[in-house]
Amino acid sequence: MNKPFFSIIIPTYNRSSLILKTLDSVFSQTYPDYEVIVVDNCSTDTTAEILKPLHDSGKIIFIQHDKNYERAVSRNTGIKNAKGAFLTFLDSDDTMHPDHLSTLFSIIKTNPEINFLATKYNIKRNNKIFYPSSLAGVKEGWHGIELLLKGNPLAISFCIKKNNSELHLFNEDSKYTVVEDWMFLMQNLMKEKIYIADKITITLNDHDERTMRGNNQDIISKKLLAVEWIKQNLPLSNKQIRIVEGYSFYFCAIHNYIDENRIYAIKYLIKTTAKIGININLIILFFKILIGNNIIRKLK
């Protein structure tokens, strides 16, 4: 049997109400040469039951872990079991547009030595596309580590070549869950570049149970842990480190503002300005913190 060109790796945990829609979007691809690997982190809902017919029919490869190892382990499991020449990732609550794989294939055929590539995505909430991603203004073409210093604008909407001896897998330490994608890209793009197509082919579903809508203080803690890991493990310049730290402090200020932790929000904002100076976004956030998130939401 010929190996597929793409392997689509989908980690999941308790997404029985969403994953079939995700898989339907995969099965609707105009490019046909792919396999689907779903790695289940020991879901406690009916995920295994509803996916069994798809596995039995050969439409997906279904791998079950014996406990919840978190997403990084699941993605690495998918990578290790994948037969495709290129691997693309999808969260089990997001969807592919029908031309996602065909768009990636066109880029690869034009750039046969490519190791990393991505398309753009938009974000849906309450069944409405309500804002573009932070990739919206990024020009089509090759991008290096500078794209990632302020955070991860790519989310998980990227594709990698499997046969790459320099590839670093996802960090499997659960203390980095929710920031492991950023760490993965930072580490792999230190010496590489990624090609980004100016085309939206993924939609992220921003629902209330999404990982990045979890405990803000936990997310802040993991972000800061990731910053320390990056500083210790990647050969960044002092200028690059200041940008990483500054925008990570800005991230922490925003999440404290959301939690109405105004004192901590202001403290992180001060740390941000010490690293990257003052800009209009920091001034806007300062006044939002003074007013308070609850009052602003009521005004809206």
Side-chain angles (χ1 to χ4, degrees), residues 223-290:
K223 182 72 169 183
L224 295 176
L225 285 172
V227 170
E228 290 305 310
W229 182 91
I230 287 168
K231 288 166 59 180
Q232 292 172 17
N233 290 278
L234 303 183
L236 297 176
S237 68
N238 289 334
K239 180 181 178 181
Q240 289 172 327
I241 290 173
R242 284 198 303 273
I243 295 172
V244 168
E245 289 181 323
Y247 281 90
S248 294
F249 293 149
Y250 177 57
F251 174 93
C252 295
I254 291 172
H255 282 267
N256 273 298
Y257 155 72
I258 293 170
D259 272 359
E260 285 286 353
N261 292 329
R262 298 193 199 184
I263 293 176
Y264 281 101
I266 292 292
K267 285 182 177 180
Y268 277 114
L269 204 56
I270 292 170
K271 288 185 175 183
T272 301
T273 59
K275 294 292 181 180
I276 62 172
I278 298 175
N279 60 46
I280 187 63
N281 290 329
L282 302 187
I283 294 171
I284 291 171
L285 180 58
F286 174 74
F287 283 105
K288 283 185 174 181
I289 293 168
L290 291 182

Side-chain angles (χ1 to χ4, degrees), residues 106-166:
S106 295
I107 297 168
I108 293 164
K109 286 306 172 185
T110 305
N111 304 277
E113 301 303 315
I114 198 167
N115 286 325
F116 297 90
L117 63 155
T119 58
K120 295 183 178 181
Y121 60 95
N122 54 20
I123 302 168
K124 178 179 71 174
R125 184 158 179 80
N126 298 326
N127 292 317
K128 294 181 180 179
I129 303 298
F130 79 113
Y131 59 91
S133 75
S134 50
L135 273 181
V138 174
K139 293 183 179 180
E140 175 153 352
W142 295 96
H143 297 270
I145 192 72
E146 299 298 325
L147 180 70
L148 300 164
L149 297 180
K150 298 178 183 181
N152 177 17
L154 290 161
I156 195 62
S157 64
F158 53 85
C159 179
I160 65 174
K161 180 186 286 184
K162 184 174 185 182
N163 186 19
N164 176 3
S165 61
E166 301 297 318

Side-chain angles (χ1 to χ4, degrees), residues 9-25:
I9 297 169
I10 306 174
T12 191
Y13 177 71
N14 286 353
R15 290 284 186 260
S16 60
S17 62
L18 297 168
I19 193 168
L20 289 180
K21 184 174 182 180
T22 295
L23 289 170
D24 282 343
S25 76

